[in-house]
Amino acid sequence: MRLSKKIWAILALAVFSKNQAQNYLNYNVSNAHSHNDYMQEIPFWQAYYANFGSIEADVFLVKGQLWVAHTEKELSPERTLESLYLNNISKQIKLNKGHVYPDANKKLQLLIDVKQDYKSILETLVNTLKKYPEITENAGVKIVITGGRPQPQDFKNYPDYLFFDGDLDKTYTPDQLKRIGLFSADLQELVKWNGKGIPRDEETEKVKNAVEKAHRMQKPMRFYGAPDFPNAWVNLMDIGADYINTDHIPDLKKFMNTIPKNFYKSTKEYSVYKPTYETDGVNKKVKNVILLIPDGTSLPQYYAAFTANKGKLNVFNMKATGYSKTNSSNAYITDSAPGSTAFATGVKTKNTFVGVDSEGKALVQIPDIIAAKGMSSGLISTGDVTDATPADFYAHSDNRNSSEPILKDFVSSKTKILIGGPTSGLSEDNLQKIKTAKIDLYRDLKSVNKINNRTLIIDPLASQRITNGRGNWLADAFDLTLNDLKNNKNGFFMMVEASQTDGGGHSNNLEQLVTELLDFDHVVGKAMKFADDNKETLVVVLGDHETGGLTLLDGSLKEGWVFGNFSTNDHTAIPSSVFAYGPNSKEFTGLFENTEIFNKILAAYGIRK
């Protein structure tokens, strides 16, 4: 049996009412409307398999049948309302045992746009629908007449399975309002907005007033003639439009389906460290360098995190800023291996190459260079200890995936401390080499109170996401490493990688990206505080590349939410943002090759290579 009109009204209110403008999570493909669906390459089926909530067909009466077309010039006997829509809807209802979609809770609105005299067309429609009781008596299908339609006082003359598109300028009695399926309005009559940027305030007010008027009557609102691309969709959702018109079904489907991963609202905020700037930018040699690498990040990622923390980020308190060109020696778009090899050695190399040049020849890395000066080094990662970024500072391989030989290189390197997640490279042979070299091996960061010798910590917790319970692991690893390295009177080098920011970009998961970056930013604050206290420490923050092609579509600095969109699930060529704090920080401004990070660090130490 069909749902009563009262129940339909309740469902409409529950589905279509919006709370805050930023609550994009209320939207999904049920809010998508396939405008002029019959003009799609595959009418009905493309929108149906995209799980759209609404499909539109324009109809003309020709030879006693309802033909579907945009204009009379396009009419064809092969394209009828029955062949393109009614037969297919009927087929799916039977296939799904009485439901229009396999998901019994999903509903479909068929919007029929009457292009000629409504009396003749509606008479033919009613007679045609008599063959389809599985449609007319189905709770999951709603047929709404738009275009040519009767006056409200005549609604009662038509079967109650027909609903009508409402006009906001008309007044309806309670009984007439029960027959209204939704309200539609021509957006171009309300605003001159072309979909780019945001509408003017007075235009936004007009559109919002229309939405609110429809919602007061417990009806959904649709705007036709609306711009049809992501920024326009965002603004229409922000305004509260319940159906989003599109002629681009695959694009809107992907956009709607990825909203949960593209939207993030912080559940808590934190205060950032207040730098003293006492030695910031001073031109003098440093004893210590702390290099902080949030993998796969550039300015969009930082600003997403800044927005989520309500306009606060430690890294944004660094005054010296620049951009690093990230291309490798054999590709416009780098991967992490040559990306951080450039930082560690000052040489561009091929993709997948770790600590070697383009010919595969081993390069000398910062930890080994400064060891000759009596300085020590520590490397930390929230990924595998043999991942490309930490490996670039101690290993030599033409294949970043060769975990066993990479870990073997740690034994012979001058790096004192290596901390990170589990690796397949911890073979019996490597275990014996680690033991012979008298390297302390731990399987849990918490079990280490103090570092005494060369140390390798492989902790499964390191590889967990912050949302999966990693807690303060990264900050604790930083503190443990710093407490040892700072005791070296000759100075030290520390590299800290937040590897799972990159994972957030690869998986197009804004929550992962932002939460990992905010966790990393706590360590940035710790490093800045140490630099202020120590006065001989340079802190440098930069990603090895950008991942995901992130764009930010909307957000609120006041409320701590951000809505983005990713263009790829891989790396891009976007230069990485560089931030620096402490003595010689001014050397890290402007646009430069990523290899210059190595040169600038050695220059800060006063070392000539």
Side-chain angles (χ1 to χ4, degrees):
M1 295 179 61
R2 294 194 61 83
L3 289 179
S4 71
K5 295 169 186 140
K6 181 177 181 181
I7 294 176
W8 264 112
I10 293 171
L11 283 172
L13 182 63
V15 173
F16 298 107
S17 61
K18 302 293 183 289
N19 296 320
Q20 299 299 319
Q22 78 276 13
N23 197 2
Y24 296 106
L25 296 177
N26 281 340
Y27 283 88
N28 55 55
V29 284
S30 292
N31 299 97
H33 174 75
S34 181
H35 173 249
N36 293 344
D37 180 79
Y38 49 87
M39 298 183 72
Q40 295 293 327
E41 185 176 350
I42 308 175
F44 178 74
W45 293 112
Q46 194 170 7
Y48 177 82
Y49 284 122
N51 286 294
F52 273 27
S54 184
I55 295 176
E56 178 182 350
D58 294 356
V59 296
F60 293 82
L61 181 59
V62 182
K63 300 177 182 179
Q65 287 186 313
L66 298 176
W67 291 13
V68 176
H70 190 58
T71 65
E72 292 187 7
K73 293 179 181 179
E74 297 155 344
L75 289 169
S76 168
E78 290 80 28
R79 298 169 64 84
T80 69
L81 185 67
E82 286 194 79
S83 64
L84 293 185
Y85 296 98
L86 299 183
N87 287 340
N88 291 330
I89 293 172
S90 175
K91 176 183 176 181
Q92 293 309 108
I93 289 172
K94 293 171 183 175
L95 183 67
N96 297 318
K97 299 179 180 179
H99 304 293
V100 66
Y101 279 109
D103 180 351
N105 294 315
K106 284 193 64 63
K107 304 183 185 307
L108 177 65
Q109 173 177 271
L110 178 61
L111 193 68
I112 299 176
D113 192 342
V114 174
K115 290 297 187 180
Q116 296 168 316
D117 171 54
Y118 76 84
K119 290 184 179 180
S120 300
I121 285 183
L122 290 187
E123 181 181 356
T124 303
L125 176 63
V126 170
N127 287 330
T128 302
L129 285 170
K130 288 177 181 178
K131 296 186 291 184
Y132 299 93
E134 65 278 9
I135 294 177
T136 59
E137 297 176 10
N138 196 291
V141 181
K142 190 170 194 175
I143 300 173
V144 181
I145 307 302
T146 188
R149 53 200 184 276
Q151 291 299 313
Q153 61 269 23
D154 294 326
F155 289 169
K156 63 182 182 296
N157 298 329
Y158 294 90
D160 64 2
Y161 58 73
L162 288 185
F163 293 82
F164 301 94
D165 198 358
D167 185 341
L168 290 172
D169 293 330
K170 289 186 177 180
T171 300
Y172 298 93
T173 67
D175 283 341
Q176 292 165 0
L177 190 60
K178 292 176 183 177
R179 302 298 298 277
I180 297 296
L182 79 162
F183 281 94
S184 297
D186 185 349
L187 190 68
Q188 297 307 312
E189 289 186 358
L190 294 173
V191 301
K192 296 185 181 298
W193 173 64
N194 64 1
K196 298 177 181 179
I198 62 173
R200 290 174 55 84
D201 289 350
E202 64 272 19
E203 292 182 326
T204 298
E205 189 69 19
K206 284 183 181 179
V207 180
K208 281 189 174 182
N209 285 342
V211 171
E212 290 169 1
K213 186 173 182 180
H215 287 178
R216 283 195 299 272
M217 290 182 278
Q218 300 187 0
K219 303 294 179 180
M221 185 70 209
R222 176 183 75 103
F223 294 98
Y224 55 89
D228 188 14
F229 48 84
N231 188 70
W233 302 335
V234 166
N235 278 275
L236 288 167
M237 288 190 289
D238 190 49
I239 287 169
D242 301 297
Y243 285 113
I244 307 300
N245 268 30
T246 192
D247 294 315
H248 309 293
I249 291 173
D251 295 339
L252 184 57
K253 172 190 172 182
K254 180 181 177 182
F255 184 84
M256 289 292 198
N257 284 337
T258 55
I259 285 174
K261 293 176 69 176
N262 287 344
F263 180 89
Y264 176 70
K265 187 179 191 304
S266 180
T267 56
K268 60 181 179 179
E269 62 180 295
Y270 63 89
S271 298
V272 297
Y273 172 70
K274 295 181 179 179
T276 66
Y277 301 104
E278 186 176 340
T279 60
D280 187 41
V282 173
N283 184 17
K284 72 171 186 177
K285 289 200 303 183
V286 300
K287 288 175 61 176
N288 316 306
V289 174
I290 300 175
L291 177 61
L292 304 167
I293 303 175
D295 200 325
T297 62
S298 191
L299 191 57
Q301 287 81 0
Y302 289 113
Y303 202 75
F306 177 76
T307 303
N309 198 41
K310 299 185 178 180
K312 300 181 291 295
L313 209 60
N314 283 305
V315 72
F316 278 1
N317 284 332
M318 294 183 174
K319 296 179 180 179
T321 62
Y323 287 98
S324 166
K325 293 165 62 180
T326 63
N327 61 287
S328 63
S329 67
N330 70 331
Y332 184 60
I333 297 175
T334 190
D335 68 41
S336 292
S340 46
T341 290
F343 305 155
T345 69
V347 176
K348 282 187 181 286
T349 191
K350 292 181 179 180
N351 282 7
T352 76
F353 280 26
V354 170
V356 296
D357 66 15
S358 295
E359 303 301 319
K361 181 181 178 181
L363 298 166
V364 182
Q365 294 125 321
I366 289 175
D368 286 4
I369 293 171
I370 67 171
K373 305 291 184 180
M375 303 162 73
S376 53
S377 299
L379 310 173
I380 302 169
S381 175
T382 56
D384 184 329
V385 291
T386 63
D387 274 352
T389 299
D392 283 331
F393 289 86
Y394 69 81
H396 311 282
S397 175
D398 63 2
N399 185 350
R400 58 177 292 179
N401 297 313
S402 301
S403 295
E404 186 173 349
I406 284 174
L407 189 61
K408 188 184 298 183
D409 282 350
F410 172 69
V411 177
S412 57
S413 78
K414 302 298 184 184
T415 301
K416 181 179 182 182
I417 303 166
L418 175 60
I419 305 175
T423 175
S424 61
L426 196 61
S427 63
E428 288 299 323
D429 185 53
N430 274 342
L431 281 169
Q432 185 57 48
K433 283 180 167 56
I434 290 167
K435 183 177 180 180
T436 301
K438 297 182 179 179
I439 296 172
D440 292 338
L441 173 63
Y442 299 92
R443 307 297 183 106
D444 180 2
L445 180 70
K446 291 182 179 180
S447 66
V448 187
N449 296 318
K450 185 176 184 296
I451 291 174
N452 298 304
N453 309 305
R454 289 194 69 202
T455 297
L456 172 60
I457 302 175
I458 300 179
D459 186 350
L461 190 59
S463 298
Q464 293 295 317
R465 295 181 188 174
I466 192 68
T467 54
N468 288 343
R470 193 173 70 236
N472 295 323
W473 187 93
L474 187 60
D476 292 343
F478 176 84
D479 290 342
L480 179 69
T481 304
L482 181 62
N483 286 338
D484 176 77
L485 296 181
K486 71 182 182 182
N487 294 323
N488 187 327
K489 63 181 181 181
N490 295 314
F492 68 80
F493 171 79
M494 190 195 309
M495 188 285 297
V496 181
E497 181 206 18
S499 77
Q500 296 185 57
T501 48
D502 183 56
H506 280 298
S507 62
N508 291 176
N509 187 322
L510 193 64
E511 178 188 36
Q512 178 183 348
L513 193 160
V514 170
T515 53
E516 292 291 334
L517 195 50
L518 290 175
D519 178 61
F520 169 83
D521 191 59
H522 284 284
V523 174
V524 174
K526 283 176 169 286
M528 295 175 74
K529 184 179 187 308
F530 177 78
D532 280 341
D533 294 341
N534 176 264
K535 297 181 173 50
E536 295 181 290
T537 299
L538 169 66
V539 180
V540 181
V541 182
L542 81 160
D544 47 357
H545 53 74
E546 195 273 350
T547 303
L550 176 65
T551 55
L552 304 182
L553 300 176
D554 202 358
S556 171
L557 291 164
K558 181 179 178 181
E559 298 174 6
W561 61 268
V562 61
F563 184 37
N565 192 39
F566 295 88
S567 64
T568 179
N569 64 356
D570 208 348
H571 302 173
T572 73
I574 296 173
S576 290
S577 301
V578 182
F579 304 88
Y581 183 74
N584 294 291
S585 60
K586 292 180 180 178
E587 298 301 315
F588 293 81
T589 59
L591 175 67
F592 47 82
E593 295 288 349
N594 53 4
T595 51
E596 284 302 301
I597 295 294
F598 170 85
N599 296 325
K600 294 175 188 294
I601 287 174
L602 290 193
Y605 280 129
I607 297 175
R608 291 187 178 182
K609 184 174 181 293

